[in-house]
Structure formats: structure tokens, C-alpha cells
């Protein structure tokens, strides 16, 4: 498998160095695998959500930084597919399917969970746009060719596609994130950035919350599958160690308290896989349940990955307590999955709202 060959045993080194090799990202992109859900009509692989999800889990089990870059690319492609006019989709999607990389910028210093507090603005004069604002923590922005920027257009919302090399765009890499350290997180400033009006996806002027929900839905699905990958990596490492390391005259796996951790890990992987499969099937069949199923998948998978990664470190103990070890990386990477694409608390609020109002 190309992804396994490209990553090999180098994910720990990339994590410590804080960078993915550009050739690895480009190779995955050239193979159409950075965003394999892009429809074939736009030069993509046209994979279903289920197939794409399983692949995302595979990459997530190898390297969460690379999986994060995939999530950004595919979220950008999905946003373009949903919001762009025909000419924009025809111009942008084939590029994302093969050559260009993309990042998606919502968050600002004062707009994290509450994206309605966003202050980045786009204004239109004749056939020119002007973009001003400051985005933070944008995954892949350190190397991406294109930035999808969420902004205010009058009292509505808009998404603008900005080539990173445009004058007035300043990118500053985030130093030493807790996890997914090689995913190219960066803060980005837009100072009087001038762009053609064709950079505005669709006609612009839609509800900001609708635009944000469109992009985040894809991001949540991808992150949920990435968490399945983290769970599988932790399970593999924990089972191998518990079977081979002996203490008190028998393998760790035969000590009941360790066996309980293994049971919890396996159960977590199974549960996360099932909720993700359900959400992807909703996606693939166009079910009206898709929004709730996706939030549920993200909430369940991120919580399980966080707890299971802690269990895996506990089982490996000193053997896993080493920077760069797969379970040590999983422990740091998994925690971030509870923060991004709608934090655990935001997911809880949405699920509670569904529980109360569905009757
Ligand atoms: P805050 O919104 O300040 O929240 C702090 C805490 O309070 C959280 O636990 C939150 O759940 C809780 N909280 C807030 N409001 C409520 C409430 N009403 N009820 C209950 N609890 C509440 N942004 C992008 O735009 N693009 C990216 O690609 C991107 N990638 C990221 C990658 C990483 C690794 C990280 C860490 C962040 C990334 N972000 C990105 C930013 C991310 O989307 C935000 O961190 C996230 O939305 C949370 O916002 P915040 O960090 O400002 O926390």
C-alpha cells in the first residue's frame, strides 16, 4: 500500500522534527489519495465515504500528522464541491485532486468554539476583493498552496480561496504543538489582500453558520476515522507488548488488570469503527441523519481514542514512555482530536439538542 510505503517507520522522526517531507505529501496527492472523495468528473478518485474513511483510518494509524493534512485537503475539496460555481469547481477541484495542497481557516484569536465571533472581513469593490483578518492554528497552512478563508461579507458569510503566495498574506508556523506536530499548523495574517472576485466561492453572501457547518461536517467525519486509526495503532502496540513482556513469571496479558485494559482497547476500537461506518453509510446514501451521525462519530471516536491511548501507554509503561514511540505520539495526538472540528463539549451540546428536540 502506497501510504504504508511512504510512511514506513518514519512517523516518529517527522513528529520530532515537526515537519512532513514535502515529497511524501506530493506523492500522496499525485496518486489522488490526499482527498480521494473528489468525484471522478473533477479528476478525483471518486471514493465513497466508507472507502475513504477506511483509508483515512489506515493513514491515521501510521501518522496523525499526515492524516491531519489529508483532512484539511479533503475538507477544502468538499467545501469547494458544495459552495463553488461550476467554473470554480472545474478550475479548483482537479488541482486539489492531483497537484495543489490546501488548508482551511476558520479560527481566530477571539473566535474558537464560537465562530460567530469571527472578525475577518472581505469587501468587494468592482471586480476586486479585499481580505483583512487574522486566523490561528490553521493545519497545513505552513506549506499549503491554497488557503480557504472563512470571512464576513457585510452581515453574511463568505469563503475566499487565497493562494498562499499572494501579497499581504503572512504565514507564521506554530512552534511545538502538543501533538500532530508535523501537520504544519500556522497562524495567518491577511493585510489588505487583493484578489479577483472569482476567488469568492459561489455568489458569497450566505449564512456564516451554514458555511462553517458545511466544511466542519466533512472535517468531523475525517477526524473520526483518523481516531479509529489511532485506536488500531494503540491496540496493535498494546497486544504485542502485553503478549511478549513477562512480569511475575507470565506475560502481562495474563494479569487480569492488564487484560482489562486490553478488553477496553479492543471494545473502543470496535465501537469507534461501528459509529464511523454508520456515519459514512449515512453520508453515502444521503440520509437526513448524516449531520447527527457525523457529530456522534466524532464525539465517540475522539473520546475513545483519548482514553485508549492513555491505556496503551499504561500497558507499555516505560517501553512506551519515549518521545516518538507510536503510543506516546498517539497519547498526544488523540487529545487534540477532542479539541478540533467541534470540541467534545460542542459535540455534547449538539447531541443533547438532538436528544431533546428529535421527539
Ligand atoms: P475555546 O473556544 O476557547 O474553548 C475552550 C474550552 O471551553 C474548550 O474545552 C471548549 O469545549 C469549552 N467551551 C467553549 N464554549 C463552550 C460552551 N458554550 N459550552 C461548554 N464548553 C465550552 N482552526 C482552523 O480554523 N483550521 C484548522 O485547520 C485548525 N486546526 C487545528 C489543529 C489543532 C491541532 C488545534 C489544537 C486547533 C486547530 N484549529 C484549527 C483551531 C480549533 O478549531 C480550535 O482550537 C477549536 O475550535 C477550539 O477553540 P479554542 O481553542 O479557541 O477553545
Amino acid at each position: 500500500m502506497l501510504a504504508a510505503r511512504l510512511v514506513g517507520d518514519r512517523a516518529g522522526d517527522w513528529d520530532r522534527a515537526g515537519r512532513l517531507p514535502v515529497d511524501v505529501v506530493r506523492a500522496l496527492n499525485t496518486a489522488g489519495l490526499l482527498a480521494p472523495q473528489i468525484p471522478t468528473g473533477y479528476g478525483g478518485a471518486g471514493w465513497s465515504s466508507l472507502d475513504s474513511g477506511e483509508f483515512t483510518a489506515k493513514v491515521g494509524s501510521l501518522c496523525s500528522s499526515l492524516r491531519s493534512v489529508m483532512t484539511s485537503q479533503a475538507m477544502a475539496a468538499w467545501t469547494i464541491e458544495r459552495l463553488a460555481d461550476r467554473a470554480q469547481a472545474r478550475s479548483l477541484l482537479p488541482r486539489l485532486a492531483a497537484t495543489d495542497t490546501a488548508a482551511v481557516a476558520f479560527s481566530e484569536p477571539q473566535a474558537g468554539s464560537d465562530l460567530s465571533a469571527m472578525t475577518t472581513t472581505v469587501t468587494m469593490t468592482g471586480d476586486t476583493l479585499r481580505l483583512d483578518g487574522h486566523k490561528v492554528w490553521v493545519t497545513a497552512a505552513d506549506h499549503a498552496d491554497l488557503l480557504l478563508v472563512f470571512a464576513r461579507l457585510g452581515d453574511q458569510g463568505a469563503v475566499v480561496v487565497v493562494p498562499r503566495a499572494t501579497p499581504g498574506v503572512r504565514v507564521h508556523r506554530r512552534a511545538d504543538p502538543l501533538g500532530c506536530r508535523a501537520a504544519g499548523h500556522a497562524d495567518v495574517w491577511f493585510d489588505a489582500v487583493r484578489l479577483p472576485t472569482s476567488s469568492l466561492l459561489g455568489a458569497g453572501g450566505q449564512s456564516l453558520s451554514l458555511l462553517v457547518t458545511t466544511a466542519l461536517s466533512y472535517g468531523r467525519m475525517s477526524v473520526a476515522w483518523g481516531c479509529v486509526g489511532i485506536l488500531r495503532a494503540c491496540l496493535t502496540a498494546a497486544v504485542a507488548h502485553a503478549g511478549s513482556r513477562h512480569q511475575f513469571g507470565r506475560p502481562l496479558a495474563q494479569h487480569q488488570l492488564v487484560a482489562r485494559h486490553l478488553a477496553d482497547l479492543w471494545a473502543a476500537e470496535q465501537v469507534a469503527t461501528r459509529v464511523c461506518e454508520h456515519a459514512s453509510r449515512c453520508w453515502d446514501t444521503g440520509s437526513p441523519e448524516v449531520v447527527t451521525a457525523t457529530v456522534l462519530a466524532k464525539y465517540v471516536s475522539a473520546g475513545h481514542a483519548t482514553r485508549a491511548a492513555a491505556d496503551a501507554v499504561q500497558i507499555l509503561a516505560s517501553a512506551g514512555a519515549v518521545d516518538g514511540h507510536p503510543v506516546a505520539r498517539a497519547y498526544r495526538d488523540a487529545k487534540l482530536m477532542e479539541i478540533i472540528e467541534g470540541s467534545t463539549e460542542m459535540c455534547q451540546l449538539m447531541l443533547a439538542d438532538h436528544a431533546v428536540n428529535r421527539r
Side-chain angles (χ1 to χ4, degrees):
M1 184 205 196
L2 178 67
R5 260 203 335 274
L6 285 172
V7 177
D9 59 0
R10 296 188 293 161
D13 295 341
W14 300 342
D15 186 60
R16 274 193 299 274
R19 283 186 202 280
L20 291 172
V22 174
D23 58 320
V24 168
V25 177
R26 296 277 176 217
L28 213 54
N29 205 7
T30 306
L33 296 177
L34 214 49
Q37 257 178 273
I38 295 178
T40 50
Y42 293 112
W47 287 7
S48 66
S49 175
L50 199 55
D51 290 344
S52 188
E54 272 296 340
F55 179 68
T56 303
K58 179 66 196 171
V59 176
S61 72
L62 298 166
C63 175
S64 279
S65 290
L66 187 56
R67 196 278 309 147
S68 298
V69 167
M70 275 180 65
T71 297
S72 295
Q73 181 86 359
M75 181 163 53
W78 171 251
T79 306
I80 291 166
E81 196 186 324
R82 298 295 295 177
L83 304 176
D85 63 32
R86 226 173 141 68
Q88 289 169 327
R90 281 200 170 145
S91 147
L92 291 167
L93 288 173
R95 287 164 63 188
L96 292 196
T99 52
D100 292 9
T101 52
V104 183
F106 315 93
S107 307
E108 299 181 2
Q110 302 309 323
S113 302
D114 179 11
L115 288 171
S116 70
M118 201 180 276
T119 58
T120 295
T121 56
V122 58
T123 47
M124 217 182 309
T125 316
D127 56 2
T128 306
L129 299 177
R130 174 183 164 150
L131 181 67
D132 292 276
H134 174 196
K135 298 291 181 180
V136 294
W137 274 103
V138 183
T139 302
D142 192 38
H143 62 258
D145 302 303
L146 299 173
L147 306 168
L148 258 71
V149 184
F150 284 69
R152 295 194 169 282
L153 176 65
D155 56 3
Q156 298 279 63
V159 184
V160 186
V161 182
V162 185
R164 194 172 56 107
T166 311
V169 177
R170 266 187 307 131
V171 178
H172 192 266
R173 189 165 165 265
R174 278 259 159 192
D176 305 324
L178 171 68
C180 300
R181 289 171 175 170
H185 307 297
D187 292 0
V188 190
W189 284 261
F190 303 94
D191 299 319
V193 175
R194 308 276 172 183
L195 298 154
T197 45
S198 58
S199 311
L200 191 64
L201 286 188
Q206 287 144 294
S207 132
L208 185 60
S209 77
L210 190 78
L211 296 177
V212 165
T213 305
T214 300
L216 282 180
S217 289
Y218 192 100
R220 285 179 186 136
M221 185 78 87
S222 181
V223 165
W225 277 108
C227 289
V228 170
I230 291 177
L231 283 159
R232 290 178 184 167
C234 287
L235 187 59
T236 302
V239 166
H241 187 76
S244 60
R245 165 95 172 153
H246 288 65
Q247 288 292 282
F248 301 97
R250 33 187 172 135
L252 291 175
Q254 289 180 20
H255 295 292
Q256 287 184 341
L257 292 177
V258 177
R260 188 194 59 186
H261 284 312
L262 292 171
D264 286 348
L265 254 168
W266 185 77
E269 186 274 331
Q270 288 289 301
V271 169
T273 300
R274 298 297 161 258
V275 287
C276 285
E277 286 171 347
H278 173 66
S280 275
R281 283 199 188 96
C282 288
W283 194 284
D284 287 334
T285 57
S287 161
E289 270 184 64
V290 69
V291 174
T292 309
T294 303
V295 174
L296 180 68
K298 197 276 178 179
Y299 171 64
V300 169
S301 304
H304 275 310
T306 303
R307 291 184 291 276
D311 279 348
V313 173
Q314 194 66 21
I315 292 171
L316 273 88
S318 61
V322 181
D323 199 14
H325 188 286
V327 296
R329 260 191 300 122
Y331 184 66
R332 291 183 285 97
D333 295 341
K335 186 61 204 165
L336 296 182
M337 302 305 112
E338 289 209 298
I339 296 172
I340 59 170
E341 316 295 356
S343 66
T344 290
E345 290 78 10
M346 290 298 108
C347 291
Q348 286 169 329
L349 291 174
M350 287 183 264
L351 293 173
D353 184 58
H354 176 73
V356 170
N357 292 315
R358 71 180 169 164
R359 286 158 210 279

